[in-house]
Amino acid sequence: MLLVTGVSGALGSLVAERLAGREDVVLGTRAGLPGTRRLDFDAPETLPEAFAGVETLLLISAGYGEDDVVVARHEAAISAAEAAGVRHVVYTSLSGDGDHLTYALAHRWTERRLRRSTTLDWTILRNGLYAEFLTWIAAPDAEHRITGPLGEGRLAAVARADLADIAVSVATDPAGHRNRVYELVGERPLGGADLAAALGAAYVPGTLAEARAAIAASGAVPFQVPMLASTYSAIAHGFLDGTGVARNDLRALLGGREPLDALDVFVKAVREG
């Protein structure tokens, strides 16, 4: 039995769509919606029943939050998996070039925790930032300008659908991926000028200070301000262009097929609004 967590999120919902109708798959949701198991990492008492009979756990990172919150959620999940006799955990982590991002710590902690387990096999899918995420940080403003402070940097963005396909492929047949770490980043890094040209917009990058102030004024919760500011900075200074990973496993885990074009995905997401 495969249990998939996080199916109410953007990546998890795509995974759930791909696994719909399979009798050997169960989905976990906080609310325990019809057809799912109640699985709330903030309520560890829900986990033993949710994990009963599960052999493989697809642990989709438990959402944004302060490090102590995310780490506590992942610890609860992994400990419950060990106690329930789960054999293999597939975890969606963050690409290896993302260590300059403020939200990397919880991912790296979780990777270490899995490696320390004496009972679990594991596979770590180090996902690059989504092409769709660019609509958060580089969408044109009312004057049709992209002002996000990306500088001359580029992002090796990857389509969320490709990552969902890979997660399904690995989690439904995990034996061949035992104790492996895969880097999954885009093959064509995109800069602010590329994004603007594709939309017929102007690229007029602002400063990190201006972006930080705008994020804070937008109603973002406190931890999101450094999260997004660190993302701008890492892109602008050349840390997320894909050259910082030892290899890119994206195409191999897609079975050799062409990855979706991240620029096309970005443009479509902006236009669909």
Side-chain angles (χ1 to χ4, degrees), residues 28-158:
T29 62
R30 279 190 166 196
L33 300 174
T36 72
R37 295 186 181 184
R38 186 181 176 219
L39 191 160
D40 185 348
F41 296 148
D42 294 326
E45 67 275 9
T46 68
L47 302 184
E49 184 175 354
F51 284 29
V54 172
E55 294 185 354
T56 303
L57 171 66
L58 175 54
L59 176 59
I60 296 176
S61 179
Y64 296 123
E66 298 286 0
D67 287 340
D68 55 351
V69 172
V70 178
V71 165
R73 290 171 178 165
H74 291 178
E75 170 59 36
I78 295 169
S79 292
E82 291 170 329
V86 172
R87 297 179 182 177
H88 198 123
V89 174
V90 179
Y91 174 62
T92 61
S93 188
L94 175 69
S95 62
D97 58 5
D99 284 344
H100 296 276
L101 300 170
T102 58
Y103 43 98
L105 185 147
H107 288 292
R108 300 297 177 250
W109 182 92
T110 306
E111 293 181 11
R112 289 183 179 185
R113 174 65 177 84
L114 288 170
R115 289 187 175 100
R116 288 199 305 266
S117 177
T118 59
T119 63
L120 294 170
D121 290 333
W122 48 264
T123 306
I124 294 167
L125 304 177
R126 285 184 164 180
N127 292 344
L129 297 187
Y130 304 150
E132 293 86 346
F133 175 71
L134 285 167
T135 64
W136 287 21
I137 64 172
D141 62 15
E143 298 178 20
H144 212 45
R145 304 175 306 161
I146 292 177
T147 60
L150 304 176
E152 298 300 316
R154 293 175 176 272
L155 173 65
V158 59

Side-chain angles (χ1 to χ4, degrees), residues 147-222:
T147 60
L150 304 176
E152 298 300 316
R154 293 175 176 272
L155 173 65
V158 59
R160 194 159 48 211
D162 283 344
L163 297 176
D165 285 344
I166 289 170
V168 168
S169 175
V170 172
T172 54
D173 188 16
H177 306 283
R178 178 178 177 271
N179 297 353
R180 298 286 301 274
V181 177
Y182 295 111
E183 295 285 353
L184 305 170
V185 299
E187 295 184 342
R188 178 165 69 114
L190 302 173
D194 302 313
L195 304 178
L199 294 170
Y203 179 47
V204 189
T207 66
L208 284 169
E210 290 167 341
R212 186 181 293 271
I215 296 164
S218 72
V221 297

Side-chain angles (χ1 to χ4, degrees), residues 102 211-213 215-217 220-230:
T102 58
R212 186 181 293 271
I215 296 164
V221 297
F223 77 85
Q224 291 178 316
V225 178
M227 180 190 82
L228 293 172
S230 73

